[in-house]
Amino acid sequence: QVQLVESGGGLVQAGGSLRLSCAASGFTSSNYAMGWFRQAPGKEREFVAAISWSSTYYTDSLKGRFTISRDNAKNTGYLQMDGLKPEDTAVYYCAARNGDARRAASSYAFWGQGTQVTVSS
């Protein structure tokens, strides 16, 4: 069974950094895409970034602050978040799908439990 486990969330001051990790298990190969989404209270889940075997995608407003990467040897994806702002506060979820990266949450079949990121002023 495919399982995704996020970690690395926490409380950080505005302007600080966090690196989220997503450990994946159950895939028979590395030919899957991983995406990051976030959901703030009262808001819909929104796309943050995604990575396939060859390409990365970002929400335009987050380009330059967030960096997505993966280490296939460790079966782990990462989301490096720099210059965090209070509006980045949300539960962050990693997701995975077979094939190429997509921006739509509905395209992802596998989801982690989420990790809380709180950015204080």
Side-chain angles (χ1 to χ4, degrees):
Q1 297 289 330
V2 173
Q3 185 175 14
L4 305 176
V5 180
E6 303 99 331
S7 62
L11 175 65
V12 65
Q13 291 280 94
S17 299
L18 286 173
R19 188 180 74 162
L20 306 184
S21 298
C22 180
S25 62
F27 286 99
T28 58
S29 74
S30 296
N31 292 326
Y32 62 89
M34 183 174 290
W36 287 93
F37 297 79
R38 67 185 185 183
Q39 187 167 24
K43 295 185 177 180
E44 296 294 319
R45 188 168 299 184
E46 65 175 341
F47 172 77
V48 174
I51 184 168
S52 67
W53 65 274
S54 63
S55 301
T56 58
Y57 305 87
Y58 297 92
T59 295
D60 288 343
S61 62
L62 299 178
K63 288 182 178 179
R65 293 198 299 121
F66 288 16
T67 304
I68 190 169
S69 63
R70 65 193 294 171
D71 186 337
N72 289 331
K74 297 181 179 180
N75 297 120
T76 301
Y78 303 95
L79 182 69
Q80 178 68 41
M81 305 186 295
D82 299 314
L84 285 164
K85 304 175 181 180
E87 53 262 43
D88 295 320
T89 295
V91 176
Y92 284 71
Y93 299 88
C94 67
R97 67 184 305 277
N98 291 300
D100 64 326
R102 301 284 179 85
R103 296 175 183 268
S106 60
S107 297
Y108 292 82
F110 311 108
W111 292 83
Q113 296 295 311
T115 185
Q116 177 71 46
V117 172
T118 302
V119 184
S120 62
S121 301

